[in-house]
């Protein structure tokens, strides 16, 4: 079977209303606005249930019947966000886009995000209609206005997009694909400085089909997705524009799903963005946007709008949305396509993992030991010196400092630190002073001691560590607690969850490549245990054991292939299906394994975000990840964090912690993205 097929070309939530009568609708709207007050329910019910073509007929009938302009009357009767939404729906799409762009470049400052969203996502035909509508509505030239309000490479790319001359031929030349890959590589990664003109020409003119193949080949050739090169080589609004173009080339519905999510997440709602997208996509691809939104963010677009808006404004948005995918519980072909592409990207990417903490240059353990002793001697403690030294040394260097401290002063550095600092800062600094395996062993011990078990900590550690790390943890656990890790897990957990943890704790994951025949067989087992196989077979207990063995012992490259084959076999994503079909700690453990296989830095970025989201901070999780990943992949985690959550890890930490704990965390974070 080939890759899952793309959804239908137009999958809007709004269609022509059956039995449409423009005169009847015009009369109903006139009645709704006649007299004192207005019947907003009647207005929204009519306008959100008609296609744009039908709304234009209503406008014409309204003028013929009453000699009045319907849009002018709606503006007079309605106010605020509800008015903006309803009036936006009443304009023809090209005129609606023209109004948005006029607002974006009028007055002091420019709304670059609006310009980027519209010009990066519209087709050639839509672009031509937009230019004509702008000329008609404002008697001005759109290109001239954009040139007057923007500058540099950002301006040049906007002008290129505005021409609406992107190639539309589906026949792709393999030679030209290879040439474009080479040209992009030489214009960025291989060049001192960047040849922005090459990026503008290729990304601004080549067909979508051609560029998708260019992006695939670029990844295979360089080991980097094109997005990583754009972030590394470009900057500012130009970088944001080029990333938006790439996203729209890959999947326009996914681009808008992401924009909608960001418009509603966090405090406050970006209503202009929310309105613009819901209006402009309601007749084009709203169903695809909904499907991808549900898959990517684990909640429906409908439910997020419902929780984030109110009144008639909310009712209108929900009508445009067209349905609640949480209620339907469905997984859709377009979402399967996106999931397949994500696994494909994961399978071929060769991302260099980088920590934020590296060995200090000109390291002098003697000087560091003396400075730490001085910082803790006498009345009071110099926390700044402690933080500065310990967060800027590698773990190997910290062990040398411990040894030197004992040799010089006959004292145990860890004991002195415990007596001088406390709370969250103490947990962080003492964690950094421990060898990584002993730190993980202690975290596992703490997760299992006392009343209750911290299953999330057990999963986070055991599902993400390499074989070598797991073996070192086993040795450290035995040395520190005189008991095997397996015995401890056996005593504190039960059932399938215990079996999963013990399997992971053996550190026997295969380390070879993929085996396609075996991957198809493994995908069939997954389909059967998750109860979506066409021909279920075999004993369920045996299948459960085989599924656990697959997830806990197969190599990462092999599992990526398994999960791709699973999508081709079922048109479902394995992570989504596990979440839907399983429950409790077993589900959480399997999901963590799948996410770690797909993108381990993203897994930790999600954990960090959740540790600081909402009321209160989960300092234990925050500390554990910052300590354990600081020398491994914290730089990669930072990049995933800002990409997904539209703010830097540095900003999140700064907004959620305080005092010396904040200082130490920011030192480990290593910079502002």
């Amino acid at each position: 079977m080939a890759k899952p097929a793309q959804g239908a070309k137009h999958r809007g939530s709004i269609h022509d209303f059956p039995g449409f009568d423009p005169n009847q609708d015009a009369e109903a709207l006139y009645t709704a606005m006649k007299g004192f007050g207005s019947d907003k329910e009647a207005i929204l019910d009519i306008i959100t249930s008609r296609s744009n073509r039908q709304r234009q007929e209503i406008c014409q009938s309204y003028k013929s019947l009453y000699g009045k302009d319907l849009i002018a009357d709606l503006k007079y009767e309605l106010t605020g966000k509800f008015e903006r939404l309803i009036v936006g729906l009443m304009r023809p799409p090209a005129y609606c886009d023209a109004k948005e762009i006029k607002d974006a470049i009028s007055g002091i400052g420019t709304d670059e995000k609006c310009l980027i969203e519209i010009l990066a996502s519209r087709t050639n035909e839509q672009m031509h209609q937009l230019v004509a509508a702008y000329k008609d509505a404002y008697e001005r030239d759109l290109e001239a206005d954009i040139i007057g309000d923007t500058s540099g490479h950002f301006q040049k790319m906007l002008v290129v997009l505005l021409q609406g001359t992107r190639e539309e031929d589906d026949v792709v030349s393999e030679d030209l694909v290879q040439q474009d890959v080479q040209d992009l590589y030489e214009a960025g990664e291989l060049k001192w400085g960047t040849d922005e003109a090459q990026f503008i020409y290729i990304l601004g003119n080549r067909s979508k089909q051609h560029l998708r193949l260019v992006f695939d080949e670029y990844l295979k050739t360089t080991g980097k997705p094109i997005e990583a090169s754009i972030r590394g080589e470009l900057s500012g609004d130009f970088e944001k524009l080029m990333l938006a173009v790439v996203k729209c080339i890959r999947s326009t519905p996914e681009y808008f799903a992401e924009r909608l999510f960001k418009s509603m997440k966090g405090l406050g709602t970006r209503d202009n963005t929310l309105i613009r997208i819901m209006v402009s996509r309601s007749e084009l691809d709203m169903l695809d946007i909904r499907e991808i939104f549900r898959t990517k963010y684990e909640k429906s677009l409908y439910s997020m709008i419902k929780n984030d808006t109110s009144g008639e404004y909310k009712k209108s948005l929900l009508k445009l949305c067209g349905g609640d995918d949480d209620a339907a519980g469905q997984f859709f072909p377009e979402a399967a396509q996106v999931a397949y592409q994500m696994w494909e990207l994961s399978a071929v990417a060769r991302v260099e993992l980088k920590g934020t903490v590296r060995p200090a240059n000109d390291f002098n353990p003697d000087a560091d030991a003396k400075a730490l002793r001085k910082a803790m001697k006498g009345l009071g403690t110099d926390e700044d010196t402690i933080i500065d030294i310990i967060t800027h040394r590698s773990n190997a260097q910290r062990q040398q400092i411990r040894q030197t401290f004992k040799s010089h002063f006959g004292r145990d550095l860890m004991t002195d630190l415990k007596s001088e600092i406390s709370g969250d800062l103490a947990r962080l600094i003492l964690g950094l002073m421990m060898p990584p395996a002993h730190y993980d062993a202690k975290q596992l011990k703490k997760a299992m001691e006392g009343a209750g078990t911290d299953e999330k900590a057990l999963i986070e550690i055991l599902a993400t560590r390499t074989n070598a790390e797991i073996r070192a943890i086993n040795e450290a656990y035995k040395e520190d607690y005189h008991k095997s890790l397996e015995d401890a897990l056996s005593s504190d957990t039960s059932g399938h969850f215990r079996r999963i943890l013990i399997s992971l704790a053996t550190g026997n994951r295969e380390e070879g490549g993929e085996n396609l025949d075996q991957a198809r067989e493994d995908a069939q087992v997954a389909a059967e245990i998750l109860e979506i196989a066409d021909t279920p077979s075999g004993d369920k207990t045996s299948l459960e054991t085989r599924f656990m063995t697959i997830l806990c012992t197969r190599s990462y490259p092999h599992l990526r292939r398994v999960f791709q084959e699973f999508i081709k076999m079922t048109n479902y994503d394995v992570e989504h299906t596990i979440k839907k079909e399983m429950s409790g700690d077993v589900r959480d453990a399997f999901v963590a394994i799948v996410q770690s296989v797909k993108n381990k830095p993203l897994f930790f970025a999600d954990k960090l975000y959740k540790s600081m989201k909402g009321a209160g901070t989960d300092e234990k999780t925050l500390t554990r990840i910052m300590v354990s990943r600081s020398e491994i992949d914290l730089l990669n985690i930072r990049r995933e964090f800002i990409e997904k959550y539209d703010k830097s890890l540095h900003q999140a930490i700064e907004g959620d912690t305080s005092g010396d704990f904040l200082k130490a965390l920011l030192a480990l974070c290593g910079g502002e993205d």
Side-chain angles (χ1 to χ4, degrees), residues 51-202:
S51 67
N52 193 275
R53 181 187 63 79
Q54 291 174 331
R55 293 183 205 121
Q56 303 318 309
E57 291 187 46
I58 295 170
C59 279
Q60 190 58 50
S61 294
Y62 193 90
K63 185 165 279 187
S64 298
L65 290 171
Y66 306 109
K68 303 179 73 174
D69 182 73
L70 176 54
I71 290 180
D73 280 3
L74 288 167
K75 283 182 178 180
Y76 181 79
E77 292 291 334
L78 309 178
T79 59
K81 295 172 283 192
F82 180 53
E83 177 214 328
R84 186 179 178 94
L85 176 64
I86 293 298
V87 170
L89 287 167
M90 292 307 302
R91 291 192 176 102
Y95 285 80
C96 192
D97 279 350
K99 176 71 164 61
E100 290 292 320
I101 286 183
K102 187 73 168 65
D103 290 347
I105 57 178
S106 295
I108 298 170
T110 304
D111 183 353
E112 290 86 2
K113 289 183 178 178
C114 173
L115 293 181
I116 290 169
E117 178 196 301
I118 293 174
L119 298 184
S121 64
R122 299 314 192 243
T123 64
N124 287 346
E125 183 182 356
Q126 288 169 336
M127 207 69 82
H128 299 153
Q129 291 170 352
L130 163 61
V131 170
Y134 192 92
K135 185 79 171 175
D136 181 52
Y138 306 111
E139 297 181 350
R140 297 178 64 89
D141 181 69
L142 178 53
E143 182 178 325
D145 281 0
I146 283 178
I147 288 172
D149 212 65
T150 59
S151 61
H153 297 298
F154 178 58
Q155 176 199 90
K156 290 173 188 172
M157 185 61 177
L158 289 176
V159 170
V160 167
L161 293 172
L162 201 56
Q163 305 313 302
T165 53
R166 185 177 296 286
E167 297 162 2
E168 295 181 331
D169 190 354
D170 284 337
V171 178
V172 177
S173 162
E174 291 184 15
D175 291 340
L176 187 56
V177 167
Q178 293 297 335
Q179 184 62 53
D180 282 350
V181 169
Q182 190 61 33
D183 287 347
L184 287 171
Y185 191 39
E186 289 175 358
E189 299 286 340
L190 294 182
K191 189 180 177 66
W192 181 260
T194 306
D195 182 359
E196 290 87 353
Q198 280 287 19
F199 280 86
I200 290 171
Y201 176 73
I202 293 171

Side-chain angles (χ1 to χ4, degrees), residues 418 427 434 438-458 461 477 480-483 485 487-493 501 620 624:
K418 280 181 187 176
R427 275 190 290 272
M434 297 178 73
H438 289 265
Y439 179 73
D440 278 347
K442 183 175 182 181
Q443 296 305 303
L444 291 168
K445 181 76 163 60
K446 289 172 77 72
M448 293 184 281
E449 67 187 7
T453 303
D454 185 351
E455 291 86 359
K456 289 182 179 178
L458 297 180
I461 295 170
Y477 199 96
D480 294 346
Y481 308 111
H482 312 293
K483 181 179 184 179
L485 176 57
D487 287 346
L489 291 168
S490 295
S491 301
D492 209 67
T493 58
L501 294 180
K620 289 181 181 178
R624 186 172 59 243

Side-chain angles (χ1 to χ4, degrees), residues 294-322:
R294 178 66 185 82
T295 305
K296 196 166 183 177
Y297 302 112
E298 299 175 29
K299 63 178 80 175
S300 69
L301 175 59
Y302 187 98
S303 67
M304 199 161 182
I305 290 171
K306 191 174 180 181
N307 293 330
D308 216 63
T309 58
S310 60
E312 283 84 10
Y313 175 53
K314 174 172 80 172
K315 290 177 185 175
S316 301
L317 288 170
L318 293 178
K319 290 261 284 185
L320 293 179
C321 183

